[in-house]
Amino acid sequence: MTDPIDPVTRFTKTDFVVRKERIQSVSKILFSLMVISMIIPLLAIIAYLFYHALPSLSWEFLVEVPKKGMSEGGIWPAFVGTLYLVLISLAIAAPIGVFAAIYLNEYARDNWFNRIINLAVINLAGVPSIVHALFGLGAFVYAAQFGYSIISASLTLAIMTLPVIIASTREALASVPMTFREACWNVGATRWQTIRAIVLPNSISGILTGIILQVSRAAGETAPIMFTGAVFYKAVSRGDLFPYQLNEQCMALSMHLYTVATQVPNVKESLPYATAVVLLCSVLFVNAGAIALRVWLRNHKKW
Amino acid sequence: MTTESMQYCIHTRNLNLWYGEFQALKNVNTDVKNGLITSLIGPSGCGKTTLLRCFNRINERFTYVRTEGKIVILGKNIYDPDVSLIELRKSVGMVFQRPNPVPISVYENILFGLRIHHPFGSFKKSELDDIVEKSLMEVGLWKDLKDRLKAKATSLQLEQQQKLCIARLLPLKPDVILMDEPCSALDIEGTRAIEELMYQLRGRYTIVIVTHNMAQARRISDECIFMLLGEMIEHARTEELFLNPRNPRTGEYIEGRYG
Ligand SMILES: Nc1ncnc2c1ncn2[C@@H]1O[C@H](COP(=O)(O)OP(=O)(O)OP(=O)(O)O)[C@@H](O)[C@H]1O
Ligand SMILES: [Mg+2]
């Protein structure tokens, strides 16, 4: 047992431990370099965009309408258009997605039918947006006869974001410990009462984050709206908050960026960059809101 | 080294531990004797697990834990700056409440620690086979498992898994084995088997075991430490602690008045 080791050197590093620690710190450095190499391009993109966009950036740029064949002026119609598309698509996708996820996670039994649904949801989340665009064109523009319109485009975006919302909501629901539900069932609560009282309040932060992250996706996609309801140009008055009817086409930021960057001759040099900055900032703003919301809700939940 | 300090394996002096603001250990002074089985008893939440986890510094996993005082194991203060956690944990092994074999084969489970602590290729295949056989023999699993060495460790019965977790420590030649309620997930048969195993290991390893089961503490341990609300109340030979407790609170706990 008590081997004659001098207690002073007991538990001290052997050469092999020193070597292991060296490998350990090398891998740690390597991994942190990976983190840095991920951050640098991100910062570079932002810096590059801002640098080139600077001459155009102003409040005027946001609320002004495009001028001189879109080669000058602002981006208000596109900005409002994107706002419309995102809000309407989420208003459709969020409730459907959340309720579907609740059904799948809380009510559905583990049988082959539900397993197939799960599989379908996961796979749908990976379908390229251009495919959704074609579907939207066929289903909403032609078959449902909504025409090229905000409603067609929003429905297409909703179809696109739905599977991801279902998946993220299910994850949030699944992270609520089973013991909480058992506690409720054991006092005779129905499933719905349990969901209302315990499951939803404790998973709402995850659910909201999942939904809000889809905002940036909906705002950024070009293909689905280009096929179904976005136009190059639409005359709108400056700063008008309600310029579009739901059955009309609209402008959108992503599409507008594409247009001014590639289609319009003699565009003021900083204009496409400024458009990109507005798109980027709106998305970052929404994401920052999601994070703030999550932090706030987290502090209210403890287990 | 004096004979006095040879006799003791683990000393703690004025050991205090805080989880954030909450003080879980208060001025704990113990002397655990070499080669004996010492059990830690006391009501839930009195800090048994916390004390046990101090002995191989696994509490430091939580960043909000603060420890003060001294823990001397075999003559060395384990909070000295030159102590390597790797070497410490090699010689102070731990067995957990739920058996936690690594989800690989039985054979590789036994060798897991060995491979971690020795450079690649330090052992010949035949040496490894011997080590596995010896370790499994020592915990009494060899007969059952010698034809199933390639089986996944997580597919064994709970009792076998727990024995395997003990066997896993042995190739590293530990000095101390810490056990945190090792039998609470096992049935009577499994419990008996583990207790017998501990008795086999007694003398060669210093064993500290946390248990909720008074009868078990009485059956297997040479000495008992009774803890209450983070303090060490009494440390005595097992018969003495159960028959003539010095502190009235010990007596009341043993009689089952509280806890
Ligand atoms: N990670 C932790 N963070 C904060 N407090 C903790 C933590 N672990 C334990 N505690 C607290 O420290 C006290 C002692 O806990 P410990 O787990 O050591 O008790 P125990 O005697 O092992 O109890 P049991 O018999 O239930 O296992 C308890 O009051 C517990 O709430
Ligand atoms: Mg415990």
Side-chain angles (χ1 to χ4, degrees):
Chain A
M1 264 247 32
T2 35
D3 35 0
I5 299 180
D6 182 4
V8 177
T9 61
R10 199 181 276 281
F11 307 141
T12 51
K13 292 175 189 168
T14 60
D15 289 346
F16 183 58
V17 170
V18 173
R19 205 162 91 215
K20 283 206 297 189
E21 282 178 351
R22 203 174 302 135
I23 297 174
Q24 145 101 340
S25 46
V26 167
S27 41
K28 188 170 158 191
I29 290 170
L30 205 70
F31 294 154
S32 50
L33 281 179
M34 297 296 159
V35 174
I36 292 171
S37 68
M38 173 200 83
I39 292 174
I40 286 176
L42 198 71
L43 292 180
I45 291 173
I46 294 176
Y48 179 81
L49 280 182
F50 268 88
Y51 176 76
H52 285 279
L54 215 56
S56 281
L57 282 184
S58 65
W59 179 248
E60 272 309 294
F61 178 71
L62 185 66
V63 296
E64 190 53 89
V65 294
K67 287 180 184 150
K68 299 201 180 150
M70 297 206 282
S71 63
E72 275 178 37
I75 52 160
W76 181 252
F79 183 72
V80 175
T82 292
L83 215 60
Y84 266 60
L85 292 175
V86 168
L87 288 181
I88 296 171
S89 67
L90 278 187
I92 298 165
I96 298 180
V98 170
F99 292 136
I102 290 178
Y103 174 79
L104 290 175
N105 202 63
E106 304 292 323
Y107 289 95
R109 271 164 231 235
D110 188 25
N111 56 23
W112 64 268
F113 179 67
N114 287 313
R115 275 202 290 271
I116 287 177
I117 292 186
N118 282 335
L119 208 65
V121 169
I122 292 168
N123 282 311
L124 273 178
V127 170
S129 61
I130 190 82
V131 177
H132 286 293
L134 274 177
F135 172 76
L137 181 68
F140 303 125
V141 177
Y142 293 128
Q145 301 199 327
F146 292 137
Y148 293 96
S149 63
I150 291 182
I151 195 73
S152 292
S154 302
L155 282 168
T156 310
L157 286 176
I159 295 281
M160 182 187 80
T161 50
L162 200 54
V164 187
I165 290 180
I166 294 179
S168 64
T169 305
R170 282 199 63 179
E171 214 154 284
L173 294 173
S175 74
V176 176
M178 204 58 197
T179 50
F180 289 13
R181 297 188 183 91
E182 285 175 352
C184 275
W185 296 336
N186 269 316
V187 293
T190 61
R191 284 199 176 236
W192 169 239
Q193 286 172 320
T194 308
I195 292 165
R196 273 267 330 265
I198 297 296
V199 179
L200 280 182
N202 283 303
S203 56
I204 193 75
S205 66
I207 295 176
L208 287 180
T209 321
I211 292 174
I212 292 175
L213 285 180
Q214 286 312 299
V215 168
S216 38
R217 190 144 161 262
E221 285 290 355
T222 320
I225 55 173
M226 198 149 94
F227 279 40
T228 53
V231 278
F232 288 111
Y233 181 74
K234 188 116 190 167
V236 157
S237 56
R238 180 183 185 280
D240 184 358
L241 266 176
F242 303 100
Y244 301 118
Q245 303 287 323
L246 288 189
N247 57 2
E248 292 178 337
Q249 288 172 284
C250 68
M251 290 175 72
L253 277 178
S254 52
M255 173 97 165
H256 185 65
L257 178 56
Y258 167 73
T259 315
V260 292
T262 60
Q263 311 294 90
V264 181
N266 305 323
V267 175
K268 196 171 145 201
E269 207 202 321
S270 59
L271 196 113
Y273 292 103
T275 308
V277 164
V278 171
L279 183 58
L280 188 71
C281 285
S282 329
V283 168
L284 288 183
F285 180 75
V286 171
N287 285 1
I291 292 169
L293 187 70
R294 183 164 59 184
V295 169
W296 186 76
L297 288 168
R298 273 274 161 81
N299 292 341
H300 286 246
K301 120 181 165 185
K302 279 231 161 74
W303 72 62
Chain B
M1 256 199 308
T2 61
T3 44
E4 162 115 50
S5 67
M6 284 294 285
Q7 195 193 350
Y8 292 117
C9 179
I10 307 173
H11 303 267
T12 67
R13 285 293 168 267
N14 297 328
L15 182 65
N16 286 295
L17 183 143
W18 288 265
Y19 289 114
E21 291 295 300
F22 174 77
Q23 187 169 8
L25 294 180
K26 296 169 190 157
N27 267 322
V28 174
N29 294 308
T30 56
D31 295 292
V32 174
K33 290 213 184 74
N34 248 329
L36 297 188
I37 300 177
T38 304
S39 48
L40 282 174
I41 57 172
S44 261
C46 67
K48 304 181 295 289
T49 300
T50 306
L51 180 61
L52 200 71
R53 289 166 81 95
C54 279
F55 295 154
N56 67 359
R57 290 179 58 181
I58 207 144
N59 270 332
E60 285 164 36
R61 188 165 74 80
F62 305 108
T63 47
Y64 54 91
V65 167
R66 191 158 56 85
T67 318
E68 264 178 20
K70 223 163 104 168
I71 300 178
V72 179
I73 297 186
L74 296 167
K76 177 79 174 175
N77 183 358
I78 61 170
Y79 286 100
D80 278 351
D82 64 341
V83 165
S84 149
L85 285 184
I86 296 171
E87 289 296 310
L88 173 66
R89 287 171 189 168
K90 181 177 156 193
S91 68
V92 182
M94 187 135 188
V95 178
F96 296 84
Q97 185 164 357
R98 283 209 65 81
N100 58 352
V102 191
I104 46 182
S105 71
V106 170
Y107 187 86
E108 286 301 321
N109 254 281
I110 305 271
L111 296 177
F112 193 74
L114 208 63
R115 291 201 199 278
I116 281 179
H117 286 282
H118 295 276
F120 183 75
S122 325
F123 298 95
K124 288 203 285 292
K125 174 87 171 97
S126 59
E127 287 174 304
L128 293 176
D129 290 345
D130 280 349
I131 291 170
V132 170
E133 176 171 350
K134 213 171 132 246
S135 306
L136 285 176
M137 284 278 205
E138 215 167 338
V139 299
L141 277 181
W142 179 248
K143 235 174 55 198
D144 295 340
L145 293 188
K146 65 172 186 282
D147 303 320
R148 295 172 55 196
L149 293 177
K150 294 275 170 287
K152 240 193 175 187
T154 38
S155 69
L156 303 179
Q157 295 162 6
L158 274 184
E159 167 207 337
Q160 293 178 327
Q161 289 188 18
Q162 193 65 302
K163 283 180 171 173
L164 185 66
C165 290
I166 298 172
R168 176 173 69 182
L169 303 173
L170 303 182
L172 295 176
K173 306 199 168 62
D175 299 298
V176 183
I177 299 181
L178 308 171
M179 301 187 177
D180 193 351
E181 306 192 27
C183 302
S184 67
L186 306 182
D187 59 13
I188 4 176
E189 280 308 312
T191 304
R192 178 177 308 142
I194 298 289
E195 286 177 7
E196 266 163 25
L197 169 59
M198 287 170 66
Y199 218 76
Q200 297 288 319
L201 300 175
R202 177 175 179 271
R204 280 173 294 160
Y205 307 94
T206 304
I207 298 177
V208 184
I209 172 177
V210 168
T211 175
H212 254 128
N213 183 334
M214 282 314 107
Q216 183 177 50
R218 245 179 129 155
R219 278 197 300 271
I220 55 169
S221 59
D222 301 291
E223 302 209 331
C224 260
I225 297 175
F226 173 64
M227 295 183 67
L228 194 59
L229 299 172
E231 286 177 82
M232 198 205 77
I233 303 294
E234 189 161 346
H235 180 175
R237 296 197 54 76
T238 302
E239 312 89 83
E240 212 165 308
L241 188 124
F242 277 95
L243 297 178
N244 308 305
R246 259 169 295 152
N247 192 306
R249 282 179 292 178
T250 315
E252 284 166 21
Y253 178 68
I254 289 164
E255 284 168 28
R257 301 263 188 89
Y258 62 89

